[in-house]
Amino acid sequence: MELVKRLTPESLGALPVDVAFPGYDRKQLLAGIVHLGIGAFVRAHLAAVNEAAILQTGDLRFGIVGVSMRSTETRDALAPQSGLYSLALRDVSAQGERRERLQVIGHLIEVMVAPENPGAVVERIAHEHTRIVSLTVTEKGYCHDPASGALLLTHADIVHDLAHAGSPRSAIGMLVRGLDRRRQDGKGPLALMSLDNLPSNGKLLRALVLEFAGLVDAGLRAWIEAGCSFPNSMVDRIVPRTTAADIDGISSRLGLRDAWPVVAEPYLEWAVEDRFVAERPRWDLAGARFVASAEAFERLKLRMVNATHSALAYLAASAGVATADAAMAMPFMREFLQRLVDEEIAPSLGHMPGVDLKAFGQQMLVRFSNPALAHKTQQIAMDGSQKLPQRLLGTVRERLAQGLPIRLLALAVAGWVRYLDGADEAGRPYAIQDPLAQQLAQAVADPVLVVHSRGAQHHRVAALLSFAPVFGDLGQSPSFVDAVSVWAELLKQRGVVATLAMTRAEHRPV
């Protein structure tokens, strides 16, 4: 039977006793945090930690105003609920029984939709209560070249934002225009905190903001450079896309209709540099760790967790396997990922005090295997052109420079090459969701890009790897191109499982 009664502040008292809910006075919340990109991930990570900090300290100055950068979906779902939503943490017991722990998050004050009123977003950043602006806009939301890290001055949104001060479209434009308003109004600087999977994400954000600001006003750039802080951070929690079945199941448990809950694993890690020019919440009381430098944690997350997650997704999606847990059950997949980590990724991380890399890698594969999440491989595979430079190619470069083998890393890259075919091994088509999908297709189709005397597959791979916005100068490395080409040919001719079998020590195809 469909539930008619909605999750609202007035209905909180009707929740089951095993569902946690905000016990503070929500009317007293101040909007100390503006978050750009209010998707599922931040609502399951930053918001979960922030909620716990509020509950432990009673400090109500750090409610969140979320900003949807494109879609009205989150606002339309949560506005009738006054921003309330439930977080479902799912895993399985040692006996294999699925478990779910529910909590209602209460400090999301408002969700704005940027395209509807970008000026209002600028004003919110400039508001006297704002202390922190955080971002989860994905790699492509930074309007930068993933290979070099430079701001794309030809990006349509950046071109627009430089010409239209009052109606910015990009995250960078909104930040700079909001900071400019603060400067004009005599308000203090802010901490701007990226939570996206980018190396030195705070440093990158700072460089992009300063470059844009310098094009607007040299004085503004100097004000931001002198006063604002950009802490680097590493965040880690698997958050699959919410499905209609999730909404129905969670609502049934609540006894109330929640139009937009989020689902996540219980595991959570967040290391953030303690560099906040204004005040900040006590996130350290709620599972986060404040650190002097997040660099080692970033490398650990990007190179070990994100790289292997991407490798799994491209290979599994090409084989027609829909979820990460099912992919982990494929023949030879777990063994391949374990060897990829142990032999080629972990050595690039160096010594990490307090972290047992072997145990971390094993725990990571257990997380990928969590059947309670049903994390879609196609979701993980999105935006590969933006992810590969950060997740895989940095390790490839270092190992090539040191004369070390890249055999297994090359297979991970070849998995992406195979994935770009747009159809799995059974011939079932899928859409390539990537901001550079058209350019990548053109790179492969253009016969002038590369001329070789070898087979068509080698031609295709060499053309793709010469695509500088993703690979930079790596496409000029014969050893890299040859290694990826051999694996790509095997994936095409023999399929994913047979190719994975060849990663075993007794097989040396590359």
Side-chain angles (χ1 to χ4, degrees):
M1 184 175 66
E2 184 176 352
L3 297 165
V4 177
K5 196 169 184 181
R6 194 78 173 258
L7 174 64
T8 64
E10 295 72 29
S11 65
L12 287 175
L15 289 169
V17 294
D18 62 341
V19 176
F21 64 90
Y24 48 83
D25 184 356
R26 297 183 72 243
K27 295 178 182 177
Q28 300 302 313
L29 284 165
L30 301 179
I33 301 172
V34 176
H35 185 85
L36 306 184
I38 191 73
F41 182 79
V42 72
R43 293 196 291 130
H45 192 282
L46 168 65
V49 175
N50 203 48
E51 182 80 5
I54 291 173
L55 290 170
Q56 290 201 46
T57 64
D59 188 348
L60 301 178
R61 296 174 300 158
F62 294 97
I64 292 178
V65 167
V67 180
S68 287
M69 301 299 290
R70 304 290 181 204
S71 170
T72 66
E73 186 176 33
T74 298
R75 189 274 314 277
D76 293 347
L78 296 186
Q81 300 176 184
S82 300
L84 294 174
Y85 66 91
S86 48
L87 168 63
L89 300 183
R90 292 177 177 172
D91 65 354
V92 294
S93 69
Q95 293 72 40
E97 297 175 348
R98 298 195 181 198
R99 301 179 295 194
E100 180 180 78
R101 184 167 76 252
L102 289 180
Q103 175 187 9
V104 174
I105 304 295
H107 69 275
L108 181 59
I109 296 173
E110 179 187 5
V111 175
M112 308 174 76
V113 179
E116 291 182 351
N117 192 347
V121 178
V122 170
E123 292 295 337
R124 177 51 71 180
I125 293 172
H127 196 281
E128 60 180 343
H129 292 157
T130 303
R131 298 289 180 269
I132 298 166
V133 181
S134 50
L135 301 87
T136 48
V137 293
T138 75
E139 295 90 342
K140 64 187 175 186
Y142 289 79
C143 302
H144 75 304
D145 174 24
S148 68
L151 184 67
L152 289 174
L153 296 179
T154 57
H155 191 290
D157 288 350
I158 297 299
V159 172
H160 173 275
D161 291 357
L162 287 170
H164 301 86
S167 58
R169 295 174 180 169
S170 71
I172 302 300
M174 289 175 194
L175 292 176
V176 172
R177 299 302 181 181
L179 292 172
D180 193 19
R181 182 63 56 83
R182 291 186 74 86
R183 182 182 67 134
Q184 294 173 25
D185 293 347
K187 299 192 179 84
L190 299 175
L192 297 99
M193 180 177 64
S194 169
L195 301 177
D196 283 299
N197 288 319
L198 294 160
S200 300
N201 50 17
K203 183 179 179 181
L204 174 67
L205 179 61
R206 181 178 187 272
L208 298 174
V209 165
L210 290 178
E211 183 174 359
F212 188 102
L215 295 171
V216 172
D217 181 341
L220 172 61
R221 176 187 171 117
W223 183 85
I224 295 172
E225 194 167 16
C228 292
S229 61
F230 296 80
N232 294 305
S233 67
M234 181 280 289
V235 297
D236 191 6
R237 170 170 265 179
I238 296 174
V239 183
R241 183 179 289 115
T242 301
T243 67
D246 293 326
I247 295 172
D248 290 342
I250 292 168
S251 296
S252 179
R253 272 205 61 197
L254 294 174
L256 300 167
R257 184 70 178 175
D258 182 354
W260 208 220
V262 288
V263 175
E265 63 175 337
Y267 179 92
L268 183 147
E269 180 64 75
W270 183 16
V272 56
E273 293 173 353
D274 196 4
R275 296 193 290 110
F276 292 82
V277 294
E279 298 162 295
R280 61 155 173 79
R282 289 296 308 273
W283 292 323
D284 54 316
L285 298 178
R289 63 174 100 193
F290 289 117
V291 297
S293 172
E295 181 180 0
F297 296 97
E298 290 173 351
R299 285 168 65 89
L300 177 67
K301 169 76 186 312
L302 284 165
R303 295 194 174 195
M304 190 172 284
V305 181
N306 295 134
T308 51
H309 218 198
S310 288
L312 173 149
Y314 298 131
L315 292 165
S318 299
V321 177
T323 62
D325 59 296
M328 289 298 295
M330 292 172 64
F332 314 113
M333 177 66 82
R334 181 183 291 268
E335 182 180 349
F336 160 65
L337 295 177
Q338 187 70 65
R339 294 190 61 222
L340 172 64
V341 166
D342 292 344
E343 296 177 18
E344 297 186 8
I345 295 178
S348 77
L349 298 172
H351 175 61
M352 294 193 63
V355 179
D356 181 335
L357 291 177
K358 184 77 173 179
F360 183 91
Q362 292 171 345
Q363 179 192 36
M364 173 188 73
L365 297 183
V366 171
R367 292 169 58 201
F368 293 173
S369 304
N370 184 351
L373 293 179
H375 199 183
K376 298 290 190 293
T377 53
Q378 289 288 357
Q379 180 190 355
I380 305 166
M382 288 173 59
D383 301 337
S385 69
Q386 312 297 295
K387 294 174 179 176
L388 255 69
Q390 283 72 240
R391 299 184 177 196
L392 287 160
L393 302 186
T395 312
V396 169
R397 290 177 189 279
E398 287 184 13
R399 290 184 68 83
L400 285 175
Q402 297 166 21
L404 297 172
I406 57 163
R407 179 171 175 262
L408 303 175
L409 286 162
L411 174 53
V413 176
W416 181 63
V417 173
R418 168 64 184 86
Y419 176 77
L420 290 179
D421 285 347
D424 65 22
E425 292 173 357
R428 293 172 295 218
Y430 49 76
I432 304 297
Q433 299 185 55
D434 192 294
L436 299 181
Q438 185 176 354
Q439 295 94 315
L440 290 166
Q442 290 171 348
V444 172
D446 191 344
V448 233
L449 282 178
V450 116
V451 178
H452 284 288
S453 59
R454 299 172 62 176
Q457 183 67 7
H458 188 278
H459 287 200
R460 177 177 184 270
V461 172
L464 186 59
L465 300 190
S466 71
F467 187 63
V470 175
F471 294 98
D473 60 358
L474 265 179
Q476 308 307 312
S477 167
S479 55
F480 176 60
V481 174
D482 288 347
V484 175
S485 295
V486 170
W487 284 122
E489 182 69 30
L490 287 167
L491 288 169
K492 191 79 170 175
Q493 299 301 323
R494 304 190 186 185
V496 172
V497 171
T499 302
L500 286 173
M502 299 188 74
T503 63
R504 292 183 152 190
E506 61 270 23
H507 295 289
R508 293 284 168 181
V510 293

